[in-house]
Amino acid sequence: MKTIVITLILVFILLADTVTAQFTISGVIKDKLKNKPLAGAHISFETKPVSAISNETGNYSISNLKKGKIVLTVSFIGFKNEKRFLDLQNDTTVNIELDGTILMGDEVNIIATRAHDKYPTAYSSISKKEIGAANLGKDIPYLLQGTPSTVATSDAGNGVGYSRISIRGTDLTRINVTINGIPLNDAESQGVWFVDLPDIASSAENIQVQRGVGTSTNGAGAFGASIHFLTSDLHQDPYGELDISGGSFNTFKSTLHFGTGLISGKFSVDGRLSYICSDGYIDRAFSNLKSYYLSGGYYGKSTTIRLITFSGFERTYQAWEGVPKDSLATNRTYNPAGEYTDKSGKIAYYDNQTDNYQQDNYQMIFSQQLASNWNLNAALHYTKGRGYYENYNQAASFSSYALNDVIIGSDTITTTDLINRKMMDNDFCGITFSTNYSLPDKLKITLGGAWNRYYGRHFGKVIWAEYASNGDSERNWYSNTGLKKDFNIYLKANYQLISKLSLFADVQYRFVSYMMEGTLDDLRSLDQLHTFNFFNPKGGIFFELNKKNDLYFSFGIANREPSRNNYKDADPARMPAKETLYDYELGYNFKLPGFSAGANGYYMYYHDQLVLTGEINNVGEAVMVNVPRSYRAGIELYAAIELFQKKVQWSVNATFSRNKIKNFTEYVDAYDADWNPIGQDTIYHGETDLSFSPDVIIGSVITYGPVPQLSFSLQSKYIGRQFIDNTSTLSRSLDGYFVNGISATYTIKTKVFKEIGINLTVNNLFNQKYVSNGWVYPYYVGGKYQEINGYFPQAMINFLCGINLKL
């Protein structure tokens, strides 16, 4: 509370000196060498917190400026910055031609994996400025939840630690994620855990979210969406920046940025150090997160070489089990993880019921301009991951750990209290490449691909037991390995058939080899080998009716191999098959100065999608099963408008969808009255809803800037009902929820700091009680229905505030 009061006092003190602006600067930005307009050039001022981006004709306009001397700066990737010293006394036109001496910029590295103008698919791009405005400590899913069709959830309840995102109901095991075009998805599980790279957002120059199959990319197939990160771009001037924020649940974040700018016109070094900690909303769901980012680059007129390393370490208390449904009303922060009964009969919690993981990433990115319309890009990468999570178990059977029963005198002891540790150690390396050729306003061609190799080691140990048994001194429990090789090559082209009509084609071949050996934690053999040959074609058409209206249509096919969990849990007599997605996208965009709107309709048909049905393997564990037919169909709407001389901006998006499985049959475990298993009951449900796929998702952001230095924002999100299994059973669903947050930002220029920014954010403004995730295990005992479940309630009203200092 003290932090809020202090922040508000600072804001009002600073506001006292604010004078309303009254003039406008406008003009055109051009390439001096080619005498062509530059779209996307950045126009800013050294002493004012306002800026603009030039449009497709190179025009820009900045209003509400007060009179006096100012320094205007124009920058564009690949060109030298240009400055103008002005004495503003009235509306002024400033046309600028940027120097044609080109430095190879970082954007050439990501052309191959990104969608761009006139690409026939649905995508959203989040700029560095937008990322920074919301980056007070929460994880990536919460920074992206403003994009259409997204749902974010957090195990700890406050967005710090283990957090997840789904896009169109597709989870992170089916979303392709890259950083600088290099795959981030774990090769075996195909998942992404942003907690392993805390505060990576602070090193992101731009994030693009593609919905649907999208463009061909490296790594696991995009099976519903893609997220592509571009890390920090070239800074021509030296800089230093410090971010400090904190708030509810003892959340604290500190980030230090630094950079040398261009040295001798060709070299630069950029870096970041971050620390984040939080107690979490859920009991004991603490997080302790550390990370760094370091980049060194050579920027020539036709050659760029960048060496990048970034790393993250996380230690989090487990909150994976959720809160039992019957505890939500009485104790919605209850966390059963690590709970046991001590010798005196009291409930206690194991202190180190934690997850611990470190991930180190290394990238070497090379770009060469071969000609004015042709460049070559290649990257080497290596990722080292290792860690463990620890569990305290009471009355664990010796046999389940391959240990002998203990005999003491005439007594045979079959169980013991123990602590087990499940560990992993993995190496991921490879090479990616792309070459891009273009004929201006006519043809763009990209040929690219990658080869990646993953080797993972999974092993478990009993590190303590109340009763010692046989086994070596390390009490090794299980050990297995996974070796995965992934090769892909793709060719994509965008051809301007006539002035208004462009055609797009994209074909990819992907080969996957996956071998597993050893024993699992249930002591079964894992030995198996799988290979796949995938052909993933895509095509589309983009029609520009005029400068205000455009239409597009695309069709794409994506294939996905089963994950490690799909294989290890499967019954050997019924191994999972590949999944195939057929994706149709139809979109319309309308643009006017100060207003834009659009719609994207999609139909995503799945053949053999892997889902949970309740079926079990030969040792009684749940498995994912291929269902022949399922689909996602919907329409995504968006609109943005500027009002009251651009002082008010309102952007809104909405998704209305149907997400169904055809002819779904549920399998439910059955036990007799003495808990002896007697088989599985089957229940035919017909057409059902896909789990965690709400029919309605609506997002809204209203921003009010009374003066350039100050802005207020109201963020709103509505998520419709979600089913937590695939049966469409109402009692196994999450109620829809409507959550609001409000934020205020204020920036000033001083003689000591180039800029001071203050940010205050209040989340869940109206104290809404809601649950964003859950799981359920239904079963019958003696003919009576019962279930075990876990739900993930999110934090009530809470706040974060921060200060940003730029040197």
Side-chain angles (χ1 to χ4, degrees):
M1 190 65 191
K2 291 182 179 178
T3 308
I4 296 178
V5 174
I6 292 171
T7 302
L8 291 175
I9 292 172
L10 285 171
V11 168
F12 286 118
I13 291 174
L14 294 170
L15 277 174
D17 191 43
T18 301
V19 178
T20 304
Q22 50 188 329
F23 297 125
T24 298
I25 292 179
S26 59
V28 179
I29 311 298
K30 289 186 176 182
D31 178 344
K32 184 177 181 180
L33 182 65
K34 298 181 180 179
N35 193 32
K36 289 186 176 181
L38 287 174
H42 185 248
I43 301 94
S44 60
F45 301 95
E46 287 191 355
T47 58
K48 297 182 182 297
V50 292
S51 62
I53 302 293
S54 60
N55 63 17
E56 64 275 4
T57 60
N59 286 278
Y60 74 94
S61 177
I62 303 176
S63 304
N64 300 323
L65 299 171
K66 62 182 180 181
K67 67 179 180 178
K69 294 181 179 181
I70 56 174
V71 180
L72 180 148
T73 301
V74 180
S75 61
F76 188 79
I77 297 173
F79 290 78
K80 290 184 177 179
N81 291 352
E82 187 73 20
K83 291 186 178 182
R84 291 287 189 274
F85 297 87
L86 307 172
D87 188 0
L88 190 62
Q89 300 296 327
N90 47 43
D91 292 345
T92 303
T93 299
V94 181
N95 299 322
I96 293 179
E97 295 181 333
L98 294 184
D99 193 312
T101 301
I102 298 176
L103 296 174
M104 284 285 290
D106 296 338
E107 82 282 0
V108 299
N109 299 316
I110 60 162
I111 291 174
T113 58
R114 291 210 161 194
H116 49 77
D117 289 343
K118 299 186 178 181
Y119 186 88
T121 194
Y123 68 93
S124 304
S125 293
I126 303 95
S127 68
K128 185 180 184 68
K129 182 178 180 181
E130 293 172 306
I131 296 167
N135 188 17
L136 296 179
K138 288 195 173 187
D139 300 331
I140 287 290
Y142 287 85
L143 302 184
L144 300 182
Q145 67 174 340
T147 60
S149 302
T150 60
V151 178
T153 182
S154 166
D155 286 4
N158 67 325
V160 182
Y162 270 87
S163 299
R164 298 170 178 83
I165 189 171
S166 65
I167 302 174
R168 293 185 180 175
T170 299
D171 66 23
L172 275 168
T173 64
R174 287 171 163 81
I175 297 175
N176 174 269
V177 184
T178 64
I179 296 182
N180 299 325
I182 293 169
L184 184 62
N185 296 71
D186 177 76
E188 288 194 294
S189 68
Q190 301 185 32
V192 175
W193 291 270
F194 290 113
V195 69
D196 295 339
L197 292 175
D199 203 25
I200 190 64
S202 289
S203 294
E205 191 72 23
N206 181 279
I207 305 173
Q208 186 179 91
V209 178
Q210 297 176 19
R211 300 183 294 281
V213 167
T215 181
S216 283
T217 186
N218 300 314
F223 216 66
S226 304
I227 302 173
H228 301 297
F229 291 79
L230 171 65
T231 60
S232 295
D233 205 348
L234 169 65
H235 293 80
Q236 295 192 12
D237 299 316
Y239 66 94
E241 187 174 341
L242 177 64
D243 295 316
I244 299 176
S245 59
S248 300
F249 318 115
N250 289 321
T251 301
F252 175 78
K253 172 181 177 286
S254 63
T255 303
L256 174 66
H257 306 259
F258 57 88
T260 62
L262 271 177
I263 302 172
S264 301
K266 292 185 177 181
F267 303 94
S268 73
V269 176
D270 299 271
R272 170 186 58 83
L273 298 171
S274 299
Y275 174 69
I276 303 173
C277 63
S278 177
D279 288 347
Y281 171 68
I282 300 299
D283 295 344
R284 300 178 309 286
F286 67 77
S287 298
N288 193 311
L289 316 174
K290 303 172 186 176
S291 67
Y292 75 81
Y293 172 90
L294 185 64
S295 170
Y298 166 79
Y299 297 85
K301 292 183 180 180
S302 58
T303 304
T304 298
I305 300 175
R306 294 183 69 197
L307 301 177
I308 301 172
T309 176
F310 50 96
S311 177
F313 170 78
E314 61 92 3
R315 182 172 184 264
T316 57
Y317 195 94
Q318 295 172 25
W320 309 331
E321 297 179 37
V323 179
K325 189 174 185 179
D326 57 9
S327 297
L328 286 173
T330 57
N331 185 7
R332 68 194 310 265
T333 65
Y334 169 60
N335 181 9
E339 184 176 285
Y340 67 96
T341 304
D342 65 18
K343 299 299 182 182
S344 62
K346 295 181 179 179
I347 297 295
Y349 295 92
Y350 180 52
D351 290 338
N352 202 37
Q353 191 84 3
T354 58
D355 181 75
N356 305 263
Y357 196 79
Q358 181 169 338
Q359 185 179 107
D360 305 324
N361 297 262
Y362 304 91
Q363 301 178 352
M364 184 175 75
I365 301 173
F366 168 81
S367 298
Q368 178 68 44
Q369 193 79 34
L370 302 174
S372 61
N373 57 351
W374 185 20
N375 63 60
L376 172 68
N377 312 290
L380 295 172
H381 66 87
Y382 171 67
T383 301
K384 178 67 176 180
R386 65 274 192 196
Y388 67 91
Y389 64 92
E390 203 163 288
N391 294 288
Y392 184 94
N393 289 341
Q394 279 193 299
S397 66
F398 284 111
S399 60
S400 62
Y401 289 86
L403 300 173
N404 294 335
D405 293 343
V406 173
I407 299 174
I408 301 178
S410 60
D411 296 327
T412 299
I413 299 174
T414 61
T415 63
T416 182
D417 293 354
L418 58 79
I419 299 170
N420 69 51
R421 182 176 285 183
K422 291 188 173 182
M423 293 170 280
M424 64 185 305
D425 189 333
N426 52 67
D427 300 274
F428 179 56
C429 63
I431 181 171
T432 67
F433 77 93
S434 67
T435 181
N436 307 285
Y437 176 81
S438 65
L439 292 175
D441 303 321
K442 193 65 176 179
L443 176 67
K444 294 180 181 178
I445 297 178
T446 297
L447 173 66
W451 176 88
N452 301 301
R453 180 185 187 274
Y454 173 93
Y455 183 68
R457 296 163 291 280
H458 307 263
F459 49 103
K461 295 181 178 181
V462 177
I463 65 172
W464 174 86
E466 183 179 13
Y467 296 102
S469 180
N470 63 309
D472 58 32
S473 59
E474 293 288 337
R475 293 191 180 91
N476 288 313
W477 166 22
Y478 69 91
S479 177
N480 61 76
T481 61
L483 175 62
K484 189 171 186 178
K485 297 177 182 179
D486 182 329
F487 168 78
N488 81 85
I489 188 167
Y490 57 83
L491 177 67
K492 59 183 75 174
N494 201 318
Y495 179 66
Q496 193 79 32
L497 185 63
I498 56 176
S499 61
K500 303 289 186 180
L501 180 65
S502 62
L503 305 177
F504 174 80
D506 180 344
V507 291
Q508 181 196 54
Y509 166 74
R510 181 167 175 250
F511 170 78
V512 178
S513 170
Y514 186 28
M515 180 174 66
M516 293 173 281
E517 296 179 315
T519 57
L520 292 165
D521 57 358
D522 60 7
L523 306 180
R524 288 181 296 132
S525 172
L526 184 63
D527 295 353
Q528 50 193 282
L529 172 64
H530 306 277
T531 59
F532 298 91
N533 290 277
F534 294 141
F535 179 65
N536 301 314
K538 308 170 187 69
I541 184 171
F542 185 96
F543 184 59
E544 186 179 20
L545 284 74
N546 50 48
K547 293 296 183 182
K548 299 178 183 178
N549 301 271
D550 60 64
L551 291 164
Y552 63 82
F553 170 78
S554 67
F555 169 72
I557 299 175
N559 291 279
R560 175 181 181 267
E561 71 276 16
S563 69
R564 178 179 188 272
N565 286 340
N566 297 151
Y567 282 128
K568 79 178 184 65
D569 295 336
D571 192 322
R574 189 184 178 189
M575 298 301 284
K578 70 169 186 175
E579 304 169 272
T580 303
L581 167 63
Y582 302 88
D583 180 27
Y584 302 82
E585 306 274 340
L586 176 63
Y588 166 73
N589 295 303
F590 176 74
K591 297 178 182 178
L592 284 175
F595 177 75
S596 62
N600 183 80
Y602 63 89
Y603 177 69
M604 299 165 62
Y605 172 76
Y606 297 87
H607 177 65
D608 282 343
Q609 184 175 190
L610 283 162
V611 303
L612 288 170
T613 64
E615 291 186 68
I616 59 176
N617 60 21
N618 58 334
V619 293
E621 294 183 343
V623 300
M624 295 190 78
V625 177
N626 297 102
V627 293
R629 294 187 298 161
S630 56
Y631 69 89
R632 302 182 188 278
I635 184 169
E636 297 164 328
L637 307 173
Y638 80 89
I641 189 171
E642 295 177 335
L643 303 167
F644 306 111
Q645 296 182 330
K646 299 184 179 181
K647 289 185 176 181
V648 175
Q649 294 93 34
W650 183 24
S651 63
V652 61
N653 61 72
T655 301
F656 303 94
S657 64
R658 286 174 57 85
N659 310 276
K660 300 291 184 178
I661 300 174
K662 296 280 191 179
N663 302 317
F664 181 77
T665 298
E666 177 190 14
Y667 293 77
V668 185
D669 288 347
Y671 304 86
D672 63 21
D674 296 321
W675 284 90
N676 297 307
I678 56 176
Q680 287 195 299
D681 293 343
T682 59
I683 305 171
Y684 178 72
H685 291 275
E687 184 174 86
T688 61
D689 293 88
L690 281 162
S691 60
F692 301 107
S693 301
D695 290 349
V696 181
I697 302 174
I698 301 174
S700 168
V701 178
I702 301 173
T703 301
Y704 170 56
V707 293
Q709 298 90 344
L710 177 67
S711 68
F712 300 93
S713 179
L714 173 66
Q715 306 95 25
S716 305
K717 191 84 174 185
Y718 173 76
I719 306 296
R721 180 175 299 278
Q722 302 177 71
F723 292 95
I724 62 177
D725 70 3
N726 295 301
T727 65
S728 293
T729 303
L730 190 62
S731 61
R732 302 181 207 163
S733 67
L734 308 178
D735 293 336
Y737 54 88
F738 181 52
V739 182
N740 295 269
I742 191 168
S743 62
T745 61
Y746 186 75
T747 57
I748 57 172
K749 309 285 187 178
T750 71
K751 293 181 179 180
V752 178
F753 298 100
K754 288 183 180 179
E755 183 177 290
I756 299 176
I758 299 171
N759 185 311
L760 171 63
T761 297
V762 180
N763 303 299
N764 198 356
L765 182 64
F766 301 114
N767 218 29
Q768 174 78 28
K769 284 187 177 180
Y770 70 103
V771 176
S772 61
N773 197 8
W775 60 269
V776 61
Y777 168 64
Y779 58 93
Y780 289 96
V781 176
K784 182 179 179 182
Y785 176 84
Q786 297 187 40
E787 67 177 45
I788 303 172
N789 51 54
Y791 290 81
F792 296 85
Q794 302 300 287
M796 307 295 284
I797 186 170
N798 63 93
F799 77 94
L800 291 168
C801 63
I803 185 168
N804 171 266
L805 306 173
K806 293 182 179 179
L807 297 173

